[in-house]
Amino acid sequence: MSVDRDERQRHLPAGRKAQLAAYVADTGQVTVSELAERFGVSIDTVRRDLDQLAAEGILVRTYGGAVSLSTVSRTDRAVDQRLAVQEQEKEKIGALAATLVDDGSTIMINGGTTTLALARSLGQHRDLTVATNNLLVPSALPPTAIRDIYVFGGAVRALTLATIGPVSFRANTGAELDISCDLALIGVGAVAADAGYTTSNLAEAAMMQEMISRAARVAILVDSSKFGRRLFAQVSELGAADYLITDTAPPPDLRDALKASGVEVLTPATKP
């Protein structure tokens, strides 16, 4: 009785991982339990396979599963989908970014799920003034940390749950008020040595640029899946930031470019 070659190969580790990688690429987003059932192996085996494939840069691990690189590259997907991508990494980045925030300071936070993780990490802070275009941030901020919250007006991008408009507020007389902040915490869609910080939407890029221009210090928040990529609209050159906060050390070319631009790279393995 002959056994189909693909069926025999599926039960070999290398063959299984190749088929698993292909399945994730075709499906876009999968769970560990789904893969264990499909390939007839244990959950621990699937986790090991996914960890190795993620280390090889073939897919991106998420909490409880994985997503394909093509899914990660679609930066304009809905917030609920982006929340599941690089979830643990974003929480680490958010917690690290929170250590840069001083009590009693004024901060600006832009849209995105990494900056949302930052907002949740401010529980030990007090007397903060927060200005944001991220509609999810006000409810995520610990009430004990906040003195005042301001949300920038404008059109709402339903896909990202962020407002798009001027980084400004007006007095009752209609006059525009000059505003500034101690620290701008900006999540970006990609970062590369030659392109700097980029994002997929022109209006968001313009808004992020203005937040940066109004800040005494700037911290860029970006997970490692976005290294070495360039999106449609440039937010700024690398040197516009004081810090780049990420989950793991950048590749050598980006690391060297950041250093040459005077940007301090912070990861969970470093201290701010």
Side-chain angles (χ1 to χ4, degrees):
M1 178 178 171
S2 64
V3 180
D4 184 87
R5 182 175 180 274
D6 287 344
E7 185 64 22
R8 292 200 315 270
Q9 189 181 25
R10 194 182 76 167
H11 296 286
L12 298 173
R16 182 185 65 246
K17 283 189 290 186
Q19 291 193 5
L20 188 152
Y23 180 73
V24 174
D26 290 341
T27 306
Q29 184 170 347
V30 295
T31 64
V32 169
S33 58
E34 175 188 350
L35 293 172
E37 181 177 356
R38 179 176 180 82
F39 290 93
V41 294
S42 70
I43 285 178
D44 286 342
T45 296
V46 170
R47 285 174 177 154
R48 286 193 295 270
D49 286 352
L50 292 179
D51 288 343
Q52 183 172 343
L53 289 168
E56 294 170 359
I58 295 172
L59 50 74
V60 175
R61 276 291 260 133
T62 63
Y63 182 75
V67 295
S68 68
L69 293 178
S70 61
T71 298
V72 173
S73 67
R74 294 197 294 270
T75 55
D76 268 344
R77 60 193 183 281
V79 169
D80 59 345
Q81 295 175 328
R82 287 186 291 128
L83 284 169
V85 177
Q86 299 284 81
E87 183 178 12
Q88 293 180 330
E89 289 80 1
K90 291 173 183 177
E91 292 298 328
K92 292 176 182 177
I93 293 168
L96 185 55
T99 65
L100 295 177
V101 178
D102 296 324
D103 285 355
S105 64
T106 299
I107 61 176
M108 290 186 190
I109 303 173
N110 76 315
T113 53
T114 307
T115 50
L116 182 63
L118 155 74
R120 292 193 295 261
S121 299
L122 293 171
Q124 300 303 312
H125 290 73
R126 296 293 182 269
D127 204 30
L128 299 179
T129 297
V130 179
T132 184
N133 71 322
N134 191 331
L135 298 179
L136 297 175
V137 159
S139 61
L141 288 166
T144 56
I146 302 306
R147 178 176 62 209
D148 294 301
I149 304 174
Y150 299 97
V151 177
F152 295 114
V156 175
R157 289 196 75 206
L159 196 67
T160 59
L161 292 180
T163 61
I164 299 295
V167 180
S168 64
F169 298 100
R170 292 189 176 276
N172 292 336
T173 60
E176 185 173 310
L177 300 172
D178 185 33
I179 63 171
S180 62
C181 68
D182 300 298
L183 176 65
L185 297 132
I186 307 296
V188 299
V191 55
D194 57 345
Y197 313 113
T198 57
T199 191
S200 59
N201 182 272
L202 279 173
E204 286 188 340
M207 202 166 186
M208 292 151 72
Q209 286 176 358
E210 192 170 357
M211 288 184 184
I212 289 171
S213 73
R214 293 178 179 274
R217 293 185 300 153
V218 177
I220 299 293
L221 282 57
V222 60
D223 68 73
S224 55
S225 71
K226 299 169 183 176
F227 289 162
R229 296 171 49 211
R230 177 172 186 162
L231 298 178
F232 179 58
Q234 186 186 55
V235 175
S236 72
E237 300 286 348
L238 294 177
D242 298 285
Y243 310 96
L244 184 134
I245 307 175
T246 186
D247 55 291
T248 190
D253 66 325
L254 179 56
R255 179 198 62 204
D256 293 345
L258 288 163
K259 184 177 180 180
S261 298
V263 182
E264 183 178 357
V265 177
L266 301 179
T267 71
T270 66
K271 291 183 178 181

